[in-house]
Amino acid sequence: MEDLWTVFCGESGCSDMDGKRCKSGFMLLCHPNSCINHVLIICFDVLLLVMLVINMIQKSKTLRIPARKTPLQIVAAVVNGCLGLVYLGLDIWILEGKLRITQTALPLNWWLLVLVQGVTWLIVSLTLSLSVNHLPRAPMRLLSILAFLYAVIVCTLSIFAAILNKGVSMKIALDVLSLPGASLLLSCAYKYKQEESDVKISEGGLYEPLNGEAYGISKIDSVGEVSRFANAGFFSKMSFWWLNSLLKRGREKTLEDEDIPYLREEDRAESCYSVFLDHLNEQIQKEPSSQPSILRTIILCHWTEIFVSGFFALLKILTVSAGPLLLNAFILVAEGNASFKYEGYVLAIALFTSKSLESLAQRQWYFRSRLVGLKVRSLLTAAIYKKQLRLSNAARLTHSGGEIMNYVTVDAYRIGEFPFWFHQTWTTSLQLCLALIILFRAVGLATVAALVVIVFTVLCNTPLAKLQHKYRSRFMVAQDERLKASYEALMNMKVLKLYAWESHFKNAIENLRKVEYKWLSAVQLWKAYNGFLFWSSPVLVSAATFGACYFLKVPLHASNVFTFVATLRLVQDPIRSIPDVIGVVIQAKVAFARIVKFLEAPELQSANARQKGNIENMDHAILIKSADFSWEKNSSKPTLRNINLEVRPGEKVAICGEVGSGKSTLLASILGEVPNTSGNIQVHGKTAYVSQTAWIQTGSIRENILFGSPMDSHRYQDTIERCSLAKDLELLPFGDQTEIGERGVNLSGGQKQRIQLARTLYQNADIYLLDDPFSAVDAHTATSLFNEYVMGALSGKVVLLVTHQVDFLPAFDAVLLMSDGEILRAAPYHQLLVSSKEFQDLVNAHKETAGSERLAEVTSPQSRGIPVKEIKKGYVDKQIKTSKGDQLIKQEEREIGDAGLKPYVQYLNQNKGLLFFSMATLSHLIFVIGQVLQNSWMASNVDNPDVSTLRLIVVYLLIGVTSTLFLLCRSLSTVILGLQSSKSLFSQLLNSLFHAPMSFYDSTPLGRILSRVSYDLSIVDLDVPFSLIYAVGATTNCYTSLGVLAVVVWQVLFVSIPMIYTAIRLQGYYFSSAKELMRINGTTKSLVANHLAESIAGAMTIRAFEEEDRFFAKNLDLIDTNASPFFHNFAANEWLIGRLEILSAAVVASAALCMVLLPPGTFSSGFVGMALSYGLSLNMSLVFSIQNQCTITNYIISVERLNQYMHIPSEAPEVIEDNRPPPNWPAVGKVDICDLQIRYRLDAPLVLRGVSCTFEGGHKIGIVGRTGSGKTTLIGALFRLVEPVGGKIVVDGINISTIGLHDLRSRFGIIPQDPTLFNGTVRYNLDPLSQHNDQEIWEVLGKCQLGEAVQEKDQGLDSLVVEDGSNWSMGQRQLFCLGRALLRRSRVLVLDEATASIDNTTDMILQKAIRTEFADCTVITVAHRIPTVMDCTKVLAISDGKLVEYDEPMELMKNEGSLFGQLVKEFWSHLNSAESHWG
């Protein structure tokens, strides 16, 4: 025991730091220099640490919501953290001085006291300041009180020592400063306010809802697992221990979406976005006149995290810089110049410690930076989504759907990557400065030469950075253009196939890709040049420095040469990453400018018009006084002029007028969609809206009808009945749980419209705005809907119905007659008929088209649907037992398990990719061998007197310069590899998508395809080639470092072989989870894109129902679903690297220990220096190796995802050379349909069941049938959108299945059910292939009643058509489609419900135009309007996929029980009762 005391205290029980005995005779217990006093202080330190550990283990019973760090907490953490670090620095100083002077570390008391004080203060203070909200309140406060008392005692004793010794030492100053530090900790403990609603830990240890499910999101916490990061302790966070459970699960099974825990509360999109809004509002309040800076706001939101990650970055730089100093000391020890006896051991321990600390700091820096990036990405995605819901019409012209998609899928992700690189902008500079200081110590004034070369390199790069910025911006604009065109083509693929325009649109996209490719080449070449410049700069620096040493006569020894080489090796990786940093900064800057421009775009001001309140207490539901409305901001002629309208509660108003008169715009104005340029508008009550083009969400029919409202069985059943949906639901495979494809692809036009009507009715609103909902349904359904729905279910509600069906008008309280943006007349039907000539013309036109038909079925509504009991039986109680797998929309496919080298082989097999990859790899290998030869030459000859300094330097330089030439070869090979592979992959993907059958588009949401042609392609273009080569390069560097160590110190193999084995096992353990996490990240990204695409399309409907909050909440939920696998993936990356770095630190320390243990002279000092210079960079090269491997593993998944869509089973060939039809085919237009059987999918039932008939050439054929009977499918079969499973169609003696698709589709004309216009001009929309001259186009415009509308526009045929043709009315769009058919002049023309959105007058003119223009052609008309088919040669009636009858219309009407006769009777049934209304 006495010996132990002597080891600790020395001979005297009381002495100061220099070993002088105490002069005072005070009690030794209180004396600050006495050994017993030191023991007591050390015991107090240990007590504090034990209490802290107990607190960490004993988890809080009430888990408080993790709050943001307060400024007080940050200040306390920084002050006390610095204090702790200075204590540790002082400890090293005391120990080093002791060893230098006395050659021994004994007695222990002084340096051990300072060490324990430093460690305790660092751990306790950081935990108390930063984790105050994770620890139980009472013990945490007790700990802070004890820490404060401890500081008071130490401070008092130190002041006592200062008085006794009549001087102030560093230790005394630190002890005194610990008191204010402890005061800050005490303030933290007591100032921290517990959140009002503590979140109780539920049985599963998970969060309960936080905000009463304000958005309907937080409910996930009560059922799902929250990431263990949320309540991990300090040590768990530092070591990533909290991730073990997930990685273990990933090792045991393939991870699925549900295995991934939710993010903690403050990392979720909702929290990030609300914090962002708070800061934004603060800025607006401070400076209301100026536009708030979004960048500044984002920095304010995350400055604490940026600051903390910056602290770790600083710590990392300091620990790295200690390496060359330790190496210098090692060489001196190897030469036998040790300062004290055990210096080698101390240095080996110091080396291991500094490397471990470096690893810890870098892991925390990277992890915390990435977390900030994730939060920034989430809030930007949320902000973009929120913005697109409120975007004004004018802003939509400049920000198309494709561009908005790009902001989310590409730009927000690029900005999310920026925080990871942010600290490298200043750490690289700091590291260079520290390196220069170390170099100055080693080679003196020769350092100036190194500095000149570094400055020269940076200056060379400055103009290039500007050029790169320019190229990058041009590239992103080109990418936008290509994406815009891709989005439009993919969205309207059905139309392109019907018109046989795929090749033209594909060529257009390929041409845009060529422009993009040009800028991509420029961007990649500059990137390569940058890479070459910075990779070769260490060679240039060493050349300049050694040259300067020769001329300045600076002696070269192993110690200074290898201190220089080691320093250079440590800074070369940061220097090499400078081009990447510049690239990322430029990318982020460009992307951020685009997003900010979008976020600052003008918004709709709809809130001014719509006011909530009880409609019953109001005189009017809608009041518009002398108002003008204009879609375009500064238009000379408003879209609607001088509108006066008053609608009282319970009134029903019909709106009619010719095409383009402003009917839909009036409804949009009431919804607040069209800016009000003058006058007033007031709308009271809840509105519901049915758009003219049905907007259906991906999901089940039930979800579409409920639209966020709670399920009420009785109301739901009533809604189904009123909307005539009961029979349809019975026919569908899963009833109302049937998944609808994107935009309702697996429903007929009528079914989509009725689901829209059901959605509107179920909302139980006050005001119903119905935009021509009956145009897509047959006459019987229209009548039924009018009686059951408009007059029955909506009795007592305000209804505004836009309609072309004059038959329904007498039932309305008022009829608005519109023309050219004005309300001509507003009066009840009878008054209007008497007073308005225009209205009489409209009604007479209807009378002419209808022959002798009914006008309106205005009798009291009779329940003619299926009784409620039967409906119940039909779909509510019918539990569907069929497997989920039969649904149309499949789960997005993703690879499972280790795909191995397959995706790499797919990538390298493109366009001689393997050759360029081999060249790049070989070049890099030669470069690395050159570097090793360089250093070996220097190591073996630096102390060799036979080799002159000049020869030593010249040979060194020659090897260096030669090896850099191979670097240039590597850079160029990489660029060519990337460009060739991108070209090939894109071309295959585009071919595959354009040749894919319609069934692929029906079952694949657009978001999935778009995420591949945007995000995945962007990754393959920009990131994959360089990441691949860097991964190979960094791994080569890592193994080279290990190899050099092993060659010089072979004994290190005993440690390095187990280390390599452990590293490979760890990597395998990590990859089993990481690959799945990255794949899930890919599939969940598609969900975000899909939801966004859907919301852009349905923005008007979402706003009309005031469902923005619910959609925004769903978006936030999807962002988190995507962010969670990404978060756990990069955390797993740090988990792996942290562990591997500790292993590599052990190898380096072991090598150093071997050198110390073996007798001096075993190794030459030159080789000791070389081995350790490689050893010191082993950590860094290992990090770069693993990082690049992980990066390329993540990136290569994009190749995997592209590959999934590169081999879609193709449609039949476009042209079959051996079997081309004659140039004039079809000459007659005779169509024979023989036993035609069609099904949409292999496992689906037949849709057409053996249809057989003949359409004679030149005949006019009408096809009628109830909604969903298979009319449109028959048309699809004629165009081979679906291939028959049995039977055939023969046109003019040629079986259409035997010829190429392009030959078939280009010879037929069609006016499709959904009129589609493309972004461009009027001329382009009528004649995209430029086959006709202007005169022909004007002629056609005149025939289809569009001449005037186009002439009114300033630019005539060059007038703008925006995305979806939304600046033209629905009727005008259908007239454009007629124009296309007139230009094509086919012998076979198909009209698929083509006149549904046109008023009767225009319809009559059109029918005449078709009769005249296509007099000798076969015209096949699918129609809901009976008059349309009354003058047909023959009528074909279809029911449930079977041909029911086929004969002349008059013959069919004579037959009893004829389906056509039934439809006609329904149409005529109320003629007599309505006859009195005709003028």
Side-chain angles (χ1 to χ4, degrees), residues 318-334:
L318 295 175
T319 48
V320 163
S321 303
L325 300 175
L326 290 169
L327 177 130
N328 192 24
F330 262 114
I331 292 174
L332 293 173
V333 170

Side-chain angles (χ1 to χ4, degrees), residues 224-268:
E225 179 192 352
V226 175
S227 174
R228 295 197 174 189
F229 179 59
N231 30 347
F234 179 77
F235 296 110
S236 180
K237 280 182 181 173
M238 289 293 137
S239 62
F240 297 96
W241 198 260
W242 54 271
L243 205 59
N244 287 359
S245 57
L246 181 68
L247 293 175
K248 188 181 175 191
R249 198 182 306 162
R251 185 66 169 175
E252 290 165 357
K253 54 169 273 199
T254 300
L255 287 179
E256 298 297 335
D257 298 33
E258 58 274 12
D259 294 320
I260 297 165
Y262 292 109
L263 296 172
R264 57 182 186 157
E265 184 63 27
E266 65 260 45
D267 298 334
R268 290 189 200 154

Side-chain angles (χ1 to χ4, degrees), residues 506-572:
K506 183 166 146 287
N507 293 338
I509 292 171
E510 278 172 343
N511 289 334
L512 289 170
R513 174 68 176 171
K514 277 176 192 166
V515 177
E516 184 186 5
Y517 186 78
K518 177 181 133 192
W519 296 114
L520 174 67
S521 310
V523 167
Q524 295 295 71
L525 277 168
W526 285 118
K527 204 171 174 182
Y529 168 80
N530 257 352
F532 169 68
L533 190 69
F534 285 98
W535 272 74
S536 57
S537 61
V539 177
L540 299 173
V541 169
S542 54
T545 310
F546 288 143
C549 286
Y550 175 70
F551 290 114
L552 294 170
K553 303 285 187 290
V554 175
L556 295 177
H557 300 295
S559 59
N560 65 352
V561 165
F562 283 100
T563 301
F564 170 80
V565 169
T567 308
L568 211 55
R569 281 189 69 78
L570 287 176
V571 294
Q572 71 187 13

Side-chain angles (χ1 to χ4, degrees), residues 619-689:
D619 294 339
H620 48 259
I622 301 167
L623 181 66
I624 306 176
K625 284 186 181 173
S626 313
D628 288 0
F629 299 94
S630 179
W631 285 110
E632 291 160 30
K633 208 172 184 183
N634 303 314
S635 173
S636 53
K637 184 184 175 188
T639 317
L640 296 181
R641 293 176 304 287
N642 194 26
I643 301 293
N644 288 289
L645 177 65
E646 183 176 350
V647 183
R648 299 180 185 282
E651 276 190 353
K652 292 185 172 40
V653 178
I655 305 168
C656 57
E658 61 192 18
V659 168
S661 57
K663 303 182 294 296
S664 298
T665 306
L666 181 61
L667 294 192
S669 306
I670 293 167
L671 287 171
E673 295 287 322
V674 191
N676 175 10
T677 51
S678 70
N680 298 317
I681 175 167
Q682 289 175 19
V683 181
H684 298 280
K686 184 182 174 185
T687 52
Y689 169 67

